[in-house]
mmCIF file with all atom_site columns, all heavy atoms in Angstrom:
data_model
loop_
_atom_site.group_PDB
_atom_site.id
_atom_site.type_symbol
_atom_site.label_atom_id
_atom_site.label_alt_id
_atom_site.label_comp_id
_atom_site.label_asym_id
_atom_site.label_entity_id
_atom_site.label_seq_id
_atom_site.pdbx_PDB_ins_code
_atom_site.Cartn_x
_atom_site.Cartn_y
_atom_site.Cartn_z
_atom_site.occupancy
_atom_site.B_iso_or_equiv
_atom_site.pdbx_formal_charge
_atom_site.auth_seq_id
_atom_site.auth_comp_id
_atom_site.auth_asym_id
_atom_site.auth_atom_id
_atom_site.pdbx_PDB_model_num
ATOM 1  N N   . ARG A 1 138 ? -22.850 9.680   -25.145 1.00 91.00 ? 138 ARG A N   1
ATOM 2  C CA  . ARG A 1 138 ? -22.305 9.623   -26.500 1.00 91.00 ? 138 ARG A CA  1
ATOM 3  C C   . ARG A 1 138 ? -23.120 8.684   -27.332 1.00 91.00 ? 138 ARG A C   1
ATOM 4  O O   . ARG A 1 138 ? -23.549 7.676   -26.808 1.00 91.00 ? 138 ARG A O   1
ATOM 5  C CB  . ARG A 1 138 ? -20.917 9.190   -26.473 1.00 91.00 ? 138 ARG A CB  1
ATOM 6  C CG  . ARG A 1 138 ? -19.870 10.122  -25.811 1.00 91.00 ? 138 ARG A CG  1
ATOM 7  C CD  . ARG A 1 138 ? -19.546 11.418  -26.570 1.00 91.00 ? 138 ARG A CD  1
ATOM 8  N NE  . ARG A 1 138 ? -18.326 11.951  -26.106 1.00 91.00 ? 138 ARG A NE  1
ATOM 9  C CZ  . ARG A 1 138 ? -18.223 12.894  -25.033 1.00 91.00 ? 138 ARG A CZ  1
ATOM 10 N NH1 . ARG A 1 138 ? -19.287 13.017  -24.327 1.00 91.00 ? 138 ARG A NH1 1
ATOM 11 N NH2 . ARG A 1 138 ? -17.096 13.353  -24.676 1.00 91.00 ? 138 ARG A NH2 1
ATOM 12 N N   . GLN A 1 139 ? -23.304 9.048   -28.578 1.00 89.00 ? 139 GLN A N   1
ATOM 13 C CA  . GLN A 1 139 ? -23.921 8.084   -29.498 1.00 89.00 ? 139 GLN A CA  1
ATOM 14 C C   . GLN A 1 139 ? -23.032 6.872   -29.678 1.00 89.00 ? 139 GLN A C   1
ATOM 15 O O   . GLN A 1 139 ? -23.528 5.767   -29.744 1.00 89.00 ? 139 GLN A O   1
ATOM 16 C CB  . GLN A 1 139 ? -24.143 8.825   -30.899 1.00 89.00 ? 139 GLN A CB  1
ATOM 17 C CG  . GLN A 1 139 ? -25.197 9.852   -30.889 1.00 89.00 ? 139 GLN A CG  1
ATOM 18 C CD  . GLN A 1 139 ? -26.616 9.271   -31.079 1.00 89.00 ? 139 GLN A CD  1
ATOM 19 O OE1 . GLN A 1 139 ? -26.849 8.116   -30.940 1.00 89.00 ? 139 GLN A OE1 1
ATOM 20 N NE2 . GLN A 1 139 ? -27.566 10.196  -31.330 1.00 89.00 ? 139 GLN A NE2 1
ATOM 21 N N   . ALA A 1 140 ? -21.744 7.117   -29.678 1.00 89.00 ? 140 ALA A N   1
ATOM 22 C CA  . ALA A 1 140 ? -20.775 6.003   -29.874 1.00 89.00 ? 140 ALA A CA  1
ATOM 23 C C   . ALA A 1 140 ? -19.517 6.318   -29.053 1.00 89.00 ? 140 ALA A C   1
ATOM 24 O O   . ALA A 1 140 ? -19.170 7.423   -28.850 1.00 89.00 ? 140 ALA A O   1
ATOM 25 C CB  . ALA A 1 140 ? -20.416 5.814   -31.304 1.00 89.00 ? 140 ALA A CB  1
ATOM 26 N N   . LEU A 1 141 ? -18.886 5.228   -28.602 1.00 92.00 ? 141 LEU A N   1
ATOM 27 C CA  . LEU A 1 141 ? -17.686 5.300   -27.802 1.00 92.00 ? 141 LEU A CA  1
ATOM 28 C C   . LEU A 1 141 ? -16.598 4.535   -28.606 1.00 92.00 ? 141 LEU A C   1
ATOM 29 O O   . LEU A 1 141 ? -16.841 3.763   -29.524 1.00 92.00 ? 141 LEU A O   1
ATOM 30 C CB  . LEU A 1 141 ? -17.889 4.648   -26.412 1.00 92.00 ? 141 LEU A CB  1
ATOM 31 C CG  . LEU A 1 141 ? -18.768 5.404   -25.522 1.00 92.00 ? 141 LEU A CG  1
ATOM 32 C CD1 . LEU A 1 141 ? -19.088 4.553   -24.265 1.00 92.00 ? 141 LEU A CD1 1
ATOM 33 C CD2 . LEU A 1 141 ? -18.229 6.707   -25.111 1.00 92.00 ? 141 LEU A CD2 1
ATOM 34 N N   . SER A 1 142 ? -15.312 4.743   -28.185 1.00 86.00 ? 142 SER A N   1
ATOM 35 C CA  . SER A 1 142 ? -14.238 4.192   -28.892 1.00 86.00 ? 142 SER A CA  1
ATOM 36 C C   . SER A 1 142 ? -14.013 2.678   -28.586 1.00 86.00 ? 142 SER A C   1
ATOM 37 O O   . SER A 1 142 ? -14.520 2.113   -27.606 1.00 86.00 ? 142 SER A O   1
ATOM 38 C CB  . SER A 1 142 ? -12.904 4.978   -28.498 1.00 86.00 ? 142 SER A CB  1
ATOM 39 O OG  . SER A 1 142 ? -12.954 6.309   -28.748 1.00 86.00 ? 142 SER A OG  1
ATOM 40 N N   . LEU A 1 143 ? -13.193 2.031   -29.415 1.00 89.00 ? 143 LEU A N   1
ATOM 41 C CA  . LEU A 1 143 ? -12.684 0.708   -29.136 1.00 89.00 ? 143 LEU A CA  1
ATOM 42 C C   . LEU A 1 143 ? -11.172 0.749   -28.890 1.00 89.00 ? 143 LEU A C   1
ATOM 43 O O   . LEU A 1 143 ? -10.463 1.419   -29.642 1.00 89.00 ? 143 LEU A O   1
ATOM 44 C CB  . LEU A 1 143 ? -12.991 -0.258  -30.323 1.00 89.00 ? 143 LEU A CB  1
ATOM 45 C CG  . LEU A 1 143 ? -14.435 -0.684  -30.570 1.00 89.00 ? 143 LEU A CG  1
ATOM 46 C CD1 . LEU A 1 143 ? -14.562 -1.632  -31.683 1.00 89.00 ? 143 LEU A CD1 1
ATOM 47 C CD2 . LEU A 1 143 ? -15.074 -1.252  -29.358 1.00 89.00 ? 143 LEU A CD2 1
ATOM 48 N N   . ASN A 1 144 ? -10.732 -0.019  -27.883 1.00 86.00 ? 144 ASN A N   1
ATOM 49 C CA  . ASN A 1 144 ? -9.326  -0.090  -27.629 1.00 86.00 ? 144 ASN A CA  1
ATOM 50 C C   . ASN A 1 144 ? -8.729  -1.280  -28.373 1.00 86.00 ? 144 ASN A C   1
ATOM 51 O O   . ASN A 1 144 ? -9.273  -2.366  -28.473 1.00 86.00 ? 144 ASN A O   1
ATOM 52 C CB  . ASN A 1 144 ? -9.143  -0.328  -26.056 1.00 86.00 ? 144 ASN A CB  1
ATOM 53 C CG  . ASN A 1 144 ? -7.765  -0.113  -25.622 1.00 86.00 ? 144 ASN A CG  1
ATOM 54 O OD1 . ASN A 1 144 ? -6.817  -0.241  -26.280 1.00 86.00 ? 144 ASN A OD1 1
ATOM 55 N ND2 . ASN A 1 144 ? -7.602  0.277   -24.368 1.00 86.00 ? 144 ASN A ND2 1
ATOM 56 N N   . SER A 1 145 ? -7.560  -1.030  -29.002 1.00 79.00 ? 145 SER A N   1
ATOM 57 C CA  . SER A 1 145 ? -6.922  -2.063  -29.802 1.00 79.00 ? 145 SER A CA  1
ATOM 58 C C   . SER A 1 145 ? -5.916  -2.888  -29.037 1.00 79.00 ? 145 SER A C   1
ATOM 59 O O   . SER A 1 145 ? -5.225  -3.663  -29.649 1.00 79.00 ? 145 SER A O   1
ATOM 60 C CB  . SER A 1 145 ? -6.261  -1.387  -31.067 1.00 79.00 ? 145 SER A CB  1
ATOM 61 O OG  . SER A 1 145 ? -5.254  -0.447  -30.605 1.00 79.00 ? 145 SER A OG  1
ATOM 62 N N   . LEU A 1 146 ? -5.751  -2.670  -27.728 1.00 76.00 ? 146 LEU A N   1
ATOM 63 C CA  . LEU A 1 146 ? -4.858  -3.382  -26.948 1.00 76.00 ? 146 LEU A CA  1
ATOM 64 C C   . LEU A 1 146 ? -5.270  -4.878  -26.791 1.00 76.00 ? 146 LEU A C   1
ATOM 65 O O   . LEU A 1 146 ? -6.515  -5.163  -26.990 1.00 76.00 ? 146 LEU A O   1
ATOM 66 C CB  . LEU A 1 146 ? -4.726  -2.769  -25.552 1.00 76.00 ? 146 LEU A CB  1
ATOM 67 C CG  . LEU A 1 146 ? -4.078  -1.404  -25.557 1.00 76.00 ? 146 LEU A CG  1
ATOM 68 C CD1 . LEU A 1 146 ? -4.171  -0.859  -24.101 1.00 76.00 ? 146 LEU A CD1 1
ATOM 69 C CD2 . LEU A 1 146 ? -2.601  -1.464  -25.918 1.00 76.00 ? 146 LEU A CD2 1
ATOM 70 N N   . PRO A 1 147 ? -4.412  -5.793  -26.404 1.00 67.00 ? 147 PRO A N   1
ATOM 71 C CA  . PRO A 1 147 ? -4.771  -7.125  -26.041 1.00 67.00 ? 147 PRO A CA  1
ATOM 72 C C   . PRO A 1 147 ? -5.897  -7.149  -25.001 1.00 67.00 ? 147 PRO A C   1
ATOM 73 O O   . PRO A 1 147 ? -5.924  -6.239  -24.168 1.00 67.00 ? 147 PRO A O   1
ATOM 74 C CB  . PRO A 1 147 ? -3.460  -7.817  -25.590 1.00 67.00 ? 147 PRO A CB  1
ATOM 75 C CG  . PRO A 1 147 ? -2.456  -6.993  -26.219 1.00 67.00 ? 147 PRO A CG  1
ATOM 76 C CD  . PRO A 1 147 ? -2.942  -5.574  -26.264 1.00 67.00 ? 147 PRO A CD  1
ATOM 77 N N   . ILE A 1 148 ? -6.745  -8.159  -25.020 1.00 68.00 ? 148 ILE A N   1
ATOM 78 C CA  . ILE A 1 148 ? -7.828  -8.252  -24.112 1.00 68.00 ? 148 ILE A CA  1
ATOM 79 C C   . ILE A 1 148 ? -7.437  -8.049  -22.688 1.00 68.00 ? 148 ILE A C   1
ATOM 80 O O   . ILE A 1 148 ? -8.042  -7.435  -21.865 1.00 68.00 ? 148 ILE A O   1
ATOM 81 C CB  . ILE A 1 148 ? -8.612  -9.573  -24.253 1.00 68.00 ? 148 ILE A CB  1
ATOM 82 C CG1 . ILE A 1 148 ? -9.314  -9.537  -25.648 1.00 68.00 ? 148 ILE A CG1 1
ATOM 83 C CG2 . ILE A 1 148 ? -9.652  -9.704  -23.223 1.00 68.00 ? 148 ILE A CG2 1
ATOM 84 C CD1 . ILE A 1 148 ? -10.092 -10.805 -25.991 1.00 68.00 ? 148 ILE A CD1 1
ATOM 85 N N   . GLU A 1 149 ? -6.292  -8.737  -22.225 1.00 67.00 ? 149 GLU A N   1
ATOM 86 C CA  . GLU A 1 149 ? -5.888  -8.662  -20.856 1.00 67.00 ? 149 GLU A CA  1
ATOM 87 C C   . GLU A 1 149 ? -5.446  -7.208  -20.415 1.00 67.00 ? 149 GLU A C   1
ATOM 88 O O   . GLU A 1 149 ? -5.334  -6.917  -19.250 1.00 67.00 ? 149 GLU A O   1
ATOM 89 C CB  . GLU A 1 149 ? -4.784  -9.645  -20.582 1.00 67.00 ? 149 GLU A CB  1
ATOM 90 C CG  . GLU A 1 149 ? -3.491  -9.371  -21.414 1.00 67.00 ? 149 GLU A CG  1
ATOM 91 C CD  . GLU A 1 149 ? -3.519  -10.101 -22.749 1.00 67.00 ? 149 GLU A CD  1
ATOM 92 O OE1 . GLU A 1 149 ? -4.610  -10.491 -23.209 1.00 67.00 ? 149 GLU A OE1 1
ATOM 93 O OE2 . GLU A 1 149 ? -2.410  -10.259 -23.372 1.00 67.00 ? 149 GLU A OE2 1
#
Side-chain angles (χ1 to χ4, degrees):
R138 297 284 198 278
Q139 290 278 13
L141 294 168
S142 303
L143 288 183
N144 195 330
S145 59
L146 294 173
I148 292 178
E149 61 272 16

